[in-house]
Amino acid sequence: DSGVTQTPKHLITATGQRVTLRCSPRSGDLSVYWYQQSLDQGLQFLIQYYNGEERAKGNILERFSAQQFPDLHSELNLSSLELGDSALYFCASSVGQGVRNEQFFGPGTRLTVL
Amino acid sequence: AQTVTQSQPEMSVQEAETVTLSCTYDTSENNYYLFWYKQPPSRQMILVIRQEAYKQQNATENRFSVNFQKAAKSFSLKISDSQLGDTAMYFCAFMQDFGNEKLTFGTGTRLTIIP
């Protein structure tokens, strides 16, 4: 158990819908990262937050958005869902900035868009 | 942009044998970090080993070791005395130095340990 929690574990929804994925980082971790794992694209970095502020952006679609709240939990919002958005979405956290901080991954949320 | 290439989609080895997984990467940076992550059937991502590019000494973690060749941009993972629990997908990942902590992953190698 990495200490990072993600809810829900599974999510099944229809095209055009909107969903919210939630992540609680390890106690004391200030950085949160979101990654998408799909058959087509592999593992891709989406976005990073550090202490409530957006720090880095990857190949995140405009239909996707995220935020980190004052209690440091983070939410990834996916809207106007398409079949291709079906994937495993990981959240990871680290103590702070800098590469010496290991990223601990949560168990992921499996999203299925029908 | 950095790229990470894993040329072995699948590998299998007998239990207790040694296996080496290959990874190459491309970057123009001088300072960076390399990682091997393990993803067992549970889908959990687990850090196996890390290597800092400025360190010449190869990293080791128990049965896991790396062969880091900076000039060749190669970063292979050696698993000694392989165990059934080593069966998993293995991802090589790259991280640039401070200020850009995103992980760039390879496509993975599916490793099966045969009893």
Side-chain angles (χ1 to χ4, degrees), chain B residues 54-66:
Chain B
Y54 64 86
K55 288 187 178 179
Q56 292 188 334
Q57 186 172 6
N58 289 323
T60 62
E61 286 289 341
N62 301 313
R63 298 183 295 108
F64 299 88
S65 61
V66 299

Side-chain angles (χ1 to χ4, degrees), chain A residues 41-52:
Chain A
Q41 303 291 332
L43 264 163
Q44 283 196 111
F45 167 75
L46 296 178
I47 198 163
Q48 177 199 359
Y49 280 83
Y50 174 75
N51 203 21

Side-chain angles (χ1 to χ4, degrees), chain A residues 1-2 8 16 19 27 37 51 67 73 78 80 88 94 105 111:
Chain A
D1 185 356
S2 67
V19 297
S27 177
Q37 185 176 27
N51 203 21
Q67 54 184 326
H73 90 272
L78 315 176
S80 303
L88 187 56
S94 67
F105 281 75
L111 173 67

Side-chain angles (χ1 to χ4, degrees), chain A residues 2 31 33 35 37 43-45 48 55-56 58 88 90 96-103 105-107 110, chain B residues 33 35 37 39 42-47 50 52 54 91 95-106:
Chain A
S2 67
S31 269
Y33 311 77
Y35 293 88
Q37 185 176 27
L43 264 163
Q44 283 196 111
F45 167 75
Q48 177 199 359
R55 174 153 176 82
L88 187 56
F90 284 108
Q97 302 180 77
V99 295
R100 289 173 183 79
N101 295 315
E102 176 185 343
Q103 291 184 27
F105 281 75
R110 179 165 293 284
Chain B
Y33 298 77
F35 305 84
Y37 277 87
Q39 187 178 40
S42 66
R43 297 291 190 176
Q44 179 73 47
M45 293 290 289
I46 302 165
L47 178 65
R50 67 190 297 163
E52 292 150 316
Y54 64 86
F91 293 95
M95 181 190 289
Q96 201 174 306
D97 206 347
F98 179 79
N100 190 348
E101 294 99 28
K102 71 171 186 178
L103 289 167
T104 300
F105 288 92

Side-chain angles (χ1 to χ4, degrees), chain A residues 3 5 9 16 30 32 38 40 59-61 63 69 78-79 81 86-87 102 107 110:
Chain A
T5 60
K9 284 189 176 180
L30 299 178
V32 169
S38 66
D40 292 343
N59 297 325
I60 187 167
L61 299 172
R63 300 184 286 108
F69 295 86
L78 315 176
S79 61
L81 285 168
S86 294
E102 176 185 343
R110 179 165 293 284

Side-chain angles (χ1 to χ4, degrees), chain B residues 85-98:
Chain B
D86 296 333
T87 293
M89 281 288 286
Y90 286 82
F91 293 95
C92 179
F94 174 99
M95 181 190 289
Q96 201 174 306
D97 206 347
F98 179 79

